[in-house]
């Protein structure tokens, strides 16, 4: 068997997000988010699930931190519920909300675990959505105000900040494809929102730099790898459009200061225009300290005339799939990371999400999730290849620490290395937890 080894200084972690694990949706002054509204809209979330209780981590975070400590991670990515801090999005601050996150972050630090804080992981205050949400540029300024408060409030405690999680999901999945909150299906709206999200990211980074606070700041785009079905130019172009939606569209503005022309041209053909105001790109294009990459899957793609948004289609060539029916495509992880290095240089990268949905249950106190172990082995092997080929990887944080609320799929799709019984809220360490623990301890694993 092959030994896969990692640099001694790589950071090992795990990731979650507020609405997916906290629960306590109306506790201690929290305001409503768009996901409270969306999950309670009939037909939007499988089985009518919602985040009212979730993993109840709001009350159980000390137990969760004990599990993190035993796991041996040294960094933990979580998100702050914006409506816990500003119940109506701006204006009056909810001190109880701030206190909760101080208690939580203090407990992480006391256990030698570095907090990596995501400011926006999809739970927009409903009050802002009522005023147009991300389509309204006032929401951009509200995000900058919220970020500025968090930076100053947690100065010295939190030194790794992520502005926006997966702007592609917040814009296109949620406002064009429409399966996430707020659930619109309008390409112009989604494209406008994608620009406002990058602008919000840029304004938050500006606040962080102006504050002179210590620490690092970045954002966390998600990306999928598209492999051309053949070497025909039409298939290659179809692939590049599909990937351009995730990569160039969300990376070029930040790292090159402009949107990719081939994507602008394509959107223009679809009747979509971007209204960029003077100064917008300067905010977006300013230097960041790292980029978080969320990778799960890839597909083989070929040209199909007048099909969907990009005249392309995915071709199933028999890849194994997870219980979410996503292709298991570790080669795409290596290729995507290599593409980022080739196109954007040596920006430090944290893998801020990577993991798989497998719904193995508890049998006699054990969860035999060998398929998740295999997925992690395959993707960490690709990560090792990327590191060896010069990609500047700083850390790996698996998604997720806990089974949790998987958005439109509710509690039906499990990504955790720790099983959660959503009736009793009992946590059970899965086989993958023990495998990951050993891998972290050794700094290598046996393929
Ligand atoms: O679908 C799995 C994960 N993907 N990235 C964003 C997270 O919130 C999801 O749970």
């Amino acid at each position: 068997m092959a030994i896969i080894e990692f640099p001694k200084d790589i950071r090992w972690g795990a990731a979650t997000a507020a609405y997916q694990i906290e629960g306590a949706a109306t506790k201690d002054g929290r305001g409503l988010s768009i996901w409270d509204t969306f999950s309670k809209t009939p037909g939007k979330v499988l089985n009518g699930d919602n985040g009212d209780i979730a993993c109840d981590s709001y009350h159980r975070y000390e137990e969760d931190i004990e599990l993190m400590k035993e796991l041996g991670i040294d960094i933990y990515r979580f998100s702050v519920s914006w409506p816990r801090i500003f119940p109506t999005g701006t204006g009056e601050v909810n001190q109880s909300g701030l206190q909760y996150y101080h208690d939580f972050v203090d407990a992480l630090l006391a256990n030698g675990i570095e907090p990596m804080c995501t400011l926006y992981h999809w739970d927009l205050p409903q009050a802002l959505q009522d005023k147009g949400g991300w389509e309204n540029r006032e929401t951009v300024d509200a995000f900058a105000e919220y970020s500025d408060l968090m930076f100053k409030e947690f100065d010295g405690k939190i030194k790794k900040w992520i502005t926006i999680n997966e702007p592609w999901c917040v814009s296109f999945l949620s406002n064009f494809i429409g399966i996430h909150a707020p659930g619109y299906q309008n390409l112009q709206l989604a494209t406008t929102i994608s620009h406002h999200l990058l602008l919000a990211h840029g304004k938050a980074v500006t606040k962080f730099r102006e504050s002179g606070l210590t620490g690092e700041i970045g954002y966390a785009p998600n990306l999928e790898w598209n492999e051309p079905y053949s070497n025909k130019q039409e298939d290659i172009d179809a692939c590049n459009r599909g990937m351009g939606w995730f990569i160039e569209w969300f990376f070029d503005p930040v790292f090159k200061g402009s949107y990719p022309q081939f994507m602008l041209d394509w959107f223009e053909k679809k009747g979509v225009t971007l209204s960029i105001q003077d100064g917008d790109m300067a905010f977006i294009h300013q230097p960041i300290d790292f980029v978080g990459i969320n990778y799960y899957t890839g597909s083989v793609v070929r040209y199909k005339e007048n099909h969907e948004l990009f005249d392309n289609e995915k071709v199933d060539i028999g890849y194994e799939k997870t219980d979410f029916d996503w292709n298991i495509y570790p080669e795409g992880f290596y290729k995507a990371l290599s593409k980022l290095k080739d196109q954007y240089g040596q920006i430090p990268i944290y893998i801020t999400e990577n993991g798989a949905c497998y719904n193995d249950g508890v049998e006699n106190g054990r969860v035999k999730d060998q398929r998740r172990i295999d997925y992690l082995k395959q993707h960490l092997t690709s990560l090792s290849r990327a590191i060896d080929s010069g990609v500047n990887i700083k850390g790996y944080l698996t998604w997720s620490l806990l089974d949790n609320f998987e958005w439109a799929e509710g509690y039906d799709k499990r990504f955790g290395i720790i099983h959660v019984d959503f009736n009793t809220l009992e946590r059970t360490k899965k086989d993958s937890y023990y495998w990951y623990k050993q891998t972290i301890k050794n700094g290598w694993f046996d393929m």
Side-chain angles (χ1 to χ4, degrees):
M1 297 292 273
I3 296 287
I4 307 296
E5 200 163 2
F6 294 88
K8 294 284 178 271
D9 60 353
I10 195 169
R11 308 296 300 276
W12 292 102
T16 62
Y19 189 77
Q20 297 181 267
I21 69 164
E22 285 181 358
T26 55
K27 187 81 183 287
D28 297 335
R30 178 183 179 275
L32 288 182
S33 77
I34 57 174
W35 270 95
D36 296 286
T37 306
F38 193 72
S39 62
K40 294 185 179 151
T41 305
K44 297 300 184 185
V45 176
L46 192 60
N47 303 322
D49 289 340
N50 61 60
D52 283 356
I53 299 171
C55 307
D56 193 35
S57 288
Y58 186 83
H59 298 108
R60 298 167 189 256
Y61 67 80
E62 285 156 328
E63 178 186 356
D64 293 344
I65 292 172
E66 275 307 307
L67 288 163
M68 295 179 214
K69 191 173 179 183
E70 183 192 334
L71 179 61
I73 61 173
D74 61 21
I75 187 167
Y76 176 66
R77 179 183 176 227
F78 68 101
S79 81
V80 168
S81 171
W82 184 347
R84 261 197 218 289
I85 308 303
F86 286 100
T88 60
T90 60
E92 190 180 343
V93 175
N94 175 29
Q95 292 302 325
S96 302
L98 282 178
Q99 190 56 54
Y100 165 70
Y101 289 108
H102 273 296
D103 295 343
F104 172 65
V105 167
D106 289 349
L108 283 176
L109 294 170
N111 284 278
I113 300 169
E114 181 177 11
M116 176 185 260
C117 179
T118 305
L119 289 160
Y120 188 71
H121 200 124
W122 306 358
D123 40 4
L124 184 73
Q126 182 60 47
L128 293 177
Q129 185 62 42
D130 294 343
K131 293 188 278 186
W134 285 110
E135 185 184 19
N136 182 347
R137 282 177 74 106
E138 288 177 12
T139 302
V140 171
D141 295 324
F143 179 73
E145 176 196 14
Y146 153 59
S147 302
D148 193 38
L149 178 125
M150 291 300 291
F151 296 147
K152 289 167 179 165
E153 182 75 26
F154 289 88
D155 178 31
K157 290 187 179 182
I158 298 176
K159 296 178 180 171
K160 284 185 179 58
W161 295 95
I162 290 171
T163 53
I164 308 282
N165 182 68
E166 301 187 354
W168 180 88
C169 290
V170 182
S171 51
F172 293 109
L173 184 64
S174 304
N175 292 279
F176 171 58
I177 297 168
I179 62 172
H180 279 192
Y184 295 115
Q185 294 183 305
N186 179 318
L187 185 59
Q188 179 63 65
L189 171 66
T191 309
T192 298
I193 286 173
S194 71
H195 178 63
H196 289 172
L197 288 165
L198 290 175
L199 184 59
H201 156 79
K203 290 202 170 190
V205 174
T206 302
K207 289 286 189 187
F208 186 71
R209 301 297 187 216
E210 285 171 352
S211 69
L213 300 174
T214 55
E216 300 175 338
I217 191 164
Y219 68 140
N222 59 306
L223 52 87
E224 298 184 7
W225 182 257
N226 285 181
E227 192 72 29
Y229 178 70
S230 79
N231 59 12
K232 285 191 299 185
Q233 195 57 47
E234 64 183 23
D235 287 347
I236 292 168
D237 292 347
C239 254
N240 288 339
R241 290 192 295 271
M243 265 197 302
W245 209 16
F246 291 93
I247 298 181
E248 283 83 358
W249 190 259
F250 289 101
F251 281 74
D252 280 20
V254 174
F255 295 105
K256 296 184 176 178
S258 62
Y259 285 92
Q261 196 56 51
F262 78 100
M263 294 298 293
L264 286 168
D265 294 344
W266 190 267
F267 281 145
E268 192 178 354
K269 278 193 342 184
K270 300 288 178 180
V272 168
T273 54
L274 259 192
S275 56
I276 300 172
Q277 292 185 14
D278 288 349
D280 284 0
M281 298 317 291
F283 275 114
I284 296 172
H285 181 39
Q286 64 185 291
I288 55 177
D289 304 300
F290 66 87
V291 61
I293 296 298
N294 296 353
Y295 177 87
Y296 290 91
T297 186
S299 301
V300 172
V301 170
R302 71 181 166 198
Y303 173 68
K304 184 172 184 179
E305 192 174 10
N306 299 328
H307 184 70
E308 296 186 351
L309 178 58
F310 292 113
D311 290 4
N312 65 11
E313 65 174 351
K314 292 181 179 178
V315 184
D316 190 339
I317 61 170
Y319 284 100
E320 270 189 74
K321 299 188 186 330
T322 69
D323 286 350
F324 210 146
D325 204 33
W326 293 357
N327 287 331
I328 300 169
Y329 205 103
E331 178 72 8
F333 193 22
Y334 168 74
K335 288 190 172 182
L337 293 170
S338 302
K339 181 183 174 94
L340 295 181
K341 171 177 171 284
D342 296 344
Q343 289 189 188
Y344 305 103
Q346 287 286 10
I347 177 80
I349 293 175
Y350 287 86
I351 305 303
T352 36
E353 292 183 26
N354 174 249
C357 168
Y358 290 113
N359 293 328
D360 304 281
V362 181
E363 289 175 23
N364 304 318
R366 185 180 167 191
V367 180
K368 297 178 184 174
D369 61 336
Q370 184 59 44
R371 294 179 298 168
R372 179 173 286 102
I373 293 171
D374 294 342
Y375 176 99
L376 292 175
K377 282 186 173 182
Q378 290 172 303
H379 287 77
L380 283 170
T381 299
S382 285
L383 186 65
S384 174
R385 281 181 65 198
I387 292 169
D388 289 353
S389 60
V391 179
N392 189 4
I393 300 291
K394 310 302 280 184
Y396 176 87
L397 295 87
T398 192
W399 184 273
S400 180
L401 178 77
L402 301 168
D403 292 338
N404 59 53
F405 178 80
E406 179 52 35
W407 308 113
E409 299 295 319
Y411 299 102
D412 185 64
K413 301 286 186 298
R414 295 175 176 271
F415 278 85
I417 57 173
I418 297 170
H419 180 278
V420 177
D421 178 324
F422 291 105
N423 295 312
T424 66
L425 299 170
E426 184 181 5
R427 278 84 162 131
T428 305
K429 291 170 272 190
K430 301 182 186 178
D431 286 2
S432 57
Y433 173 99
Y434 295 103
W435 177 85
Y436 191 45
K437 176 181 176 182
Q438 193 60 49
T439 298
I440 293 169
K441 183 170 183 284
N442 294 341
W444 55 266
F445 64 87
D446 195 338
M447 194 53 199

